[in-house]
Amino acid sequence: MSFFKNIFKKSKKKEIDYNNLPQHIAIIMDGNGRWARKRSLPRSVGHKEGAKTLKRITTFCGEIGIKYLTVYAFSTENWKRPKSEVDALMALLLEYLKNAETHIGGKDVRIKTIGDVSVFSDEIKKEIDRVTKLTGKNTGLELNIALNYGSRDEIVHAVKEIAREVAHGKIKTDDINEKMMIDKLYTSGVPDPDLLIRPGGEKRLSNFLLWQSAYTEFWYTDVLWPDFREEHIVEAILDYQNRNRRFGGI
Ligand code: FPP
């Protein structure tokens, strides 16, 4: 890192208005495969580098005062990938969880998952449980890791729960409202993301937080996730702070 680049990074960070931080940042961690291909390495190496980036970015977001960070780690569609890649991702996830104390950015991070984790191996489920409990009382950044997560699946899951309550006579159909839906989503208790960042050059949501991102500000970059750094978060936040959020008003 050159001296001047370092100075530039520091001065940019100073430009952040800490009274107007996005409370919740969501990230689609894309580009691991391309990062590896460019170096003639297996895709799994790209994912491994991606896990390192996740740790850095988690630490940084906690340090600057972001309250919630939600990351897309494994989607309901990712099972379609070759078995070898799925296995590598599962192994990486297990390692990441096992080392959560030292691996996941900062002592004060509270780790949770969103998505249907019932399909994972017993070993992974046990680790998810352990890490969630271990960090449950931490009061710093909340890191929500989306695992076997798909927004359409999440919405169907929420609708089924509400339908059950109607069937059991707990609520009436006409009483169904947005708040009930929000309470049944995997993200219940987490405010909607203010800023959604997608590295890797694509400009789509890919079944991530469809309900929650109704008024989210999007920020894209061609930088691949393993190359994504603190300076890119700063750039995204500065851009976010220049936007005029109207939430449908004027
Ligand atoms: C998308 O890049 C990335 C994924 C499907 C996996 C994301 C996983 C990590 C960053 C690993 C760290 C996470 C944990 C919790 C261990 P891609 O493979 O689609 O990249 P490409 O578009 O370049 O092929």
Side-chain angles (χ1 to χ4, degrees):
M1 171 74 57
S2 81
F3 174 73
F4 289 110
K5 209 169 167 194
N6 237 333
I7 297 273
F8 174 75
K9 267 172 65 176
K10 283 209 172 111
S11 65
K12 279 280 176 198
K13 191 177 156 196
K14 269 202 250 161
E15 284 175 30
I16 292 178
D17 173 0
Y18 288 91
N19 294 315
N20 181 26
L21 276 178
Q23 181 178 205
H24 181 178
I25 296 181
I27 305 182
I28 299 178
M29 305 186 287
D30 195 18
N32 297 344
R34 276 164 287 161
W35 184 93
R37 195 172 61 226
K38 272 168 71 179
R39 291 160 179 79
S40 307
L41 293 166
R43 291 176 61 84
S44 58
V45 179
H47 294 313
K48 225 174 184 166
E49 284 302 309
K52 286 188 203 158
T53 301
L54 174 57
K55 184 189 166 194
R56 289 179 76 124
I57 296 304
T58 305
T59 307
F60 185 67
C61 284
E63 277 169 11
I64 64 172
I66 304 298
K67 295 276 176 261
Y68 300 89
L69 176 65
T70 301
V71 294
Y72 210 3
F74 195 86
S75 76
T76 42
E77 286 73 36
N78 285 154
W79 299 105
K80 290 185 213 151
R81 295 189 176 206
K83 185 175 180 302
S84 57
E85 183 170 346
V86 171
D87 288 350
L89 277 166
M90 292 303 131
L92 186 62
L93 173 62
L94 188 61
E95 186 194 329
Y96 179 85
L97 292 167
K98 279 194 168 160
N99 295 306
E101 294 87 330
T102 51
H103 238 70
I104 303 179
K107 286 198 189 79
D108 216 20
V109 176
R110 198 163 60 257
I111 297 163
K112 289 189 183 168
T113 62
I114 55 169
D116 177 10
V117 297
S118 68
V119 297
F120 290 112
S121 70
D122 287 346
E123 210 180 2
I124 291 182
K125 278 189 284 196
K126 207 176 98 196
E127 275 306 310
I128 291 175
D129 240 38
R130 187 187 71 82
V131 171
T132 309
K133 284 195 188 111
L134 178 79
T135 64
K137 293 211 166 69
N138 290 349
T139 53
L141 173 84
E142 179 168 306
L143 173 66
N144 284 300
I145 310 174
L147 293 171
N148 190 30
Y149 175 87
S151 212
R152 288 181 173 182
D153 173 69
E154 175 183 41
I155 291 167
V156 169
H157 178 264
V159 168
K160 277 186 188 164
E161 287 214 359
I162 292 176
R164 261 182 226 117
E165 291 189 3
V166 172
H168 291 132
K170 278 199 198 161
I171 52 168
K172 294 198 186 82
T173 303
D174 283 341
D175 294 338
I176 297 172
N177 56 30
E178 289 187 13
K179 186 176 177 308
M180 269 179 214
M181 276 295 289
I182 291 165
D183 289 344
K184 303 286 185 218
L185 297 175
Y186 293 127
T187 50
S188 161
V190 178
D192 287 345
D194 302 292
L195 173 63
L196 186 140
I197 297 175
R198 182 161 190 162
E202 310 291 357
K203 295 183 176 65
R204 53 175 170 261
L205 264 180
S206 301
N207 203 11
F208 191 43
L209 304 175
L210 301 181
W211 174 289
Q212 298 87 337
S213 62
Y215 287 102
T216 299
E217 299 294 327
F218 292 167
W219 191 83
Y220 306 96
T221 173
D222 288 335
V223 173
L224 304 174
W225 176 246
D227 291 328
F228 192 90
R229 290 292 174 268
E230 293 82 345
E231 67 207 72
H232 302 115
I233 287 278
V234 171
E235 218 181 299
I237 292 175
L238 291 175
D239 192 35
Y240 164 87
Q241 292 184 332
N242 272 319
R243 298 193 194 177
N244 180 10
R245 302 185 78 193
R246 291 188 296 278
F247 299 94
I250 51 170

